[in-house]
Amino acid sequence: MTTLLAVEALTKRFGGLVAVNKVDFEISSGSITAIIGPNGAGKTTLFNLIGGSIRPDEGKVTLEGRDITGWKPFSVARGGITRTFQTTALFEELPVWVNLVIGHRMRTRSGLFDALLYTPRARREKKETTREVMEVLGFTGLAEYADMPAGTLPQEAQKRLAIAVALIGKPKLVLLDEPTGGVGLEETDGIITLIDKIRASGVTVCVIEHKMRMIMNLADYIIALNFGIKIADGDPQSVCQDPSVIEAYLGECIA
Amino acid sequence: MKKYGKWAFYLLLIVIVALIPLYLNRSKSGKYTIQVLTMAMIWAIATLSLNLILGYTGQASLAHGAFLGIGAYAFGIFVERVGINIWPALILASLITAFLGMLVGLPSLRTKGPYFAIVTLCFNVIVFKVFENWTWLSGGLRGQKVTMPSYLEARWARYYVVLGFLILAILIERQIVKSLLGSSFIAIRSNENLSEAVGINSFRTKLLSFTVSCFMVGLAGGLFAMEKGSLDYTITNYMYSFYLLIYLLIGGAATLAGPVVGTVGLYFLLDKIKGIGEWRYFIFGLILIVVIIYFPRGIVGGAKQFWEWAKKKYYRTGEVLE
Amino acid sequence: MSFFLNQMVIGIQLGSQYVLVALGLTLIFGILDISHFAHGHMYMIGAYLLYIVMVLGGVNYWLALVICMAALSIAGVVVERAVYRPLRGQPHINSFIAAIGLILVLETLVRGIQPDALRVPKPIDKNFSFLGINMEVQRLIVIVGAIVFIILLQVFIKRTRLGTAIEAMSQDREGAALVGINVNRMSALTFAIATALAAVAAVFMAPLAFVSPEMGSVLVLKAFVIVVIGGLGSMKGAILGGYLLGILEALAIAYISSAYKDVFAFGVLIIILAIWPTGIFGGRD
């Protein structure tokens, strides 16, 4: 397996607090990697650092060997990493399908003159976008909601839509921040199936998750954080038996 | 079939609006009304421009009064002092306004929300003070004369010119907001952080929207100078930025009909109650507060909402009947 | 040298009114997330109220100060209740537009009743001389009075239960609601305090200038400049920024040109925001 994303000695301080402290890891192509850790362990900060919404103080992030440290979020997205947010971020007042059109925007190039003159490129890209939107609606099972404003969807469908918006841009790697947070137990299964499908379609997944049972079955590789420091990493079995992980989780880890 | 009906409706509307001067031109008060309507349509173009950056892109520019003035003066100076034909002068004036808009946007669009509103308002005050003090540029209170060619002397002639540009402005805005580029604009209004996370360069997109918006308001400025025949520095007053905001919000932001309905309606109304002088702005202010509290989507937005609601209600009853 | 000192004192005095107005704005912004653009017009109402109470009613200046503060804090609560509270939770731009509506209403109302600018006599119509500084006693009243009220505000915020609740809310609105701070009461209180501060500024400044319907419009813009530079919601920033702008402006008037004194303040803001898009002292995004 080849390395898709490499994080080296990544560090971020907020005032006196070191939110992420010299974290190293690699994500290999086609895998599902999970980042676990108690609240305030620096998981979301880590995503923000990779995604470019905050700049690291030290360290390096490379995607397929290309240094993307300190890139702006939109460049990171165009470079091949899209993400979802912990507090499900959507274009709430816009219909589901428009959310997806926006997500697909980075695959299209038409600008002002294409819009004004309705050039062949504008026409082609509009068709292409429509096709992609239909496909992703089917893939994520959101077709029935297509015309509803995103904010009016049930919680679980909103989570799936956030994933769909991230996917339609055809990333190499998708970062999912608690994709099952605030979702009922039965509905969690649907999202797990979706994540499996995403991997099967060739997109590498990195996921922040609290539900240990879910992670054990889903992930190929686990990275455990505590107080901004990587305390363990490896396959689910070995991370689960790691004493520092058990300590951090108060023995919550049951496989 | 439904689509043809819509276009037929628009065509009918244009024909009616085009016929209005024929009726009004017969009396003296009618001729005056033509002038009022022409001016209302010019303001409507300006409101449409604000709609692009505020209604669709979500950035509350309070500098559009200044840009209107800049467009008007650029046009006036090109025609009067440089001696260019009015049509290329109109395009040049719009281009200059767009260019200045881009220059202003470069620093100011880095800020967000209320910061942007305040920065642009400050810019407007600066422009106003500059025009007030630089009499070599603005002509001070004496102003800048703008001579029109003889074929534009009749009021109805200018009415048709402005009507043409209004239709053009609506079409341009429609083309943009229905396009993929338009979806980027709307994305930024809805959630700027998420837009960035899905690969939209929000700064560049906002700058484009602002520049196009300034082009349109520059055009409105040029037409304003054409209609008025003379300019003074008060045209750059920031109160005009407020008025544009009011026209837009009462009409309905982020709709295509809203800016036109709001502007023409309110401008016409304000002219009708001219007799009460300053007090009409008292009423104006009260209406604004009531509208923003109870009808935040404006006249057209509210009507659309009502239409959707009625349609749903109708369909639901239909389902029950089946 | 004495010319320079004179200008400095004038600057501090200008700054005093900016601080009083900007403090109210920054409180309202920090706690309620409202760009209360009509704040300058509340200030204007305060000046007219002083005219009514003192000139027409014949009340003593200091008693008039208390009356104006009380009346204006009630007016502030009314504005909050009638205009801003129904807009809570809606996009930021909506309350901003309501504020513009309020500006139109207040300004045309006053102009409709009394179109001419008015004058308010100085309570102590004397000059004083000190270290080559020679100016009206009223300027001294503005400077000292502003300091007194700034200290009073700080004491209130730091030492009383209500004050600490306000501060907590300005730092974390949702958190404050969670620990059971009554949001409605707090926003009414904030408006009362902010508008009373505007009344203080108006009562102090009115004897030094004309009282006119548009006296508040440029002032509020400058206060916003200060609030933005100082960081939205930061009281320290508002105090520092207010005095700084006052001094810079007085020096600019003395040494550059008075025609461009407003251009100066707003130009500085644009440059600063171009470098630090959320103000020098950070503040909320």
Side-chain angles (χ1 to χ4, degrees), chain B residues 59 112 187-188 190-197 202-203 206:
Chain B
Q59 311 301 310
K112 287 175 190 170
I188 289 168
S190 176
N191 189 335
E192 190 168 340
N193 285 336
L194 182 59
S195 308
E196 285 261 324
S202 67
F203 178 71
K206 286 192 288 188

Side-chain angles (χ1 to χ4, degrees), chain C residues 18 42 57 59 68 91 100 109 122 128-130 136 139 148 164-165 169 181 190 201 224 227 239 244 253 259 265:
Chain C
Y18 293 157
M42 301 303 281
V59 176
C68 286
I100 292 174
L109 184 69
K122 298 184 181 75
F128 74 96
S129 291
F130 178 71
E136 301 97 316
R139 292 193 195 271
V148 169
T164 41
M169 212 169 134
I181 291 174
T190 308
F224 255 108
V227 169
I239 295 169
L244 213 65
I253 292 168

Side-chain angles (χ1 to χ4, degrees), chain B residues 14-166:
Chain B
I14 292 174
V15 169
I16 290 170
V17 175
L19 288 176
I20 288 175
L22 296 182
Y23 170 76
L24 288 174
N25 209 28
R26 295 176 308 171
S27 68
K28 198 163 180 226
S29 71
K31 280 181 179 159
Y32 172 72
T33 309
I34 292 179
Q35 197 181 333
V36 172
L37 286 176
T38 307
M39 206 39 117
M41 288 193 295
I42 293 171
W43 284 110
I45 297 173
T47 311
L48 276 167
S49 80
L50 184 63
N51 192 28
L52 194 64
I53 184 72
L54 172 58
Y56 287 104
T57 320
Q59 311 301 310
S61 163
L62 292 178
H64 269 51
F67 287 119
L68 185 87
I70 288 170
Y73 264 101
F75 176 78
I77 287 167
F78 275 129
V79 170
E80 204 65 29
R81 297 193 208 168
V82 186
I84 303 178
N85 179 281
I86 57 162
W87 304 111
L90 201 56
I91 295 171
L92 276 176
S94 309
L95 283 175
I96 283 181
T97 315
F99 179 70
L100 283 174
M102 196 182 75
L103 288 186
V104 171
L106 278 172
S108 61
L109 283 166
R110 278 158 46 88
T111 63
K112 287 175 190 170
Y115 289 93
F116 180 69
I118 291 162
V119 173
T120 45
L121 184 55
C122 287
F123 172 74
N124 201 329
V125 176
I126 292 176
V127 170
F128 180 67
K129 289 282 168 191
V130 164
F131 273 78
E132 188 183 8
N133 286 307
W134 293 4
T135 43
W136 60 267
L137 179 71
S138 66
L141 268 176
R142 233 178 349 100
Q144 167 72 45
K145 204 160 75 72
V146 186
T147 323
M148 280 302 106
S150 53
Y151 59 88
L152 283 179
E153 259 163 31
R155 282 170 180 164
W156 58 267
R158 295 197 299 267
Y159 177 94
Y160 285 119
V161 168
V162 170
L163 177 61
F165 277 110
L166 176 62

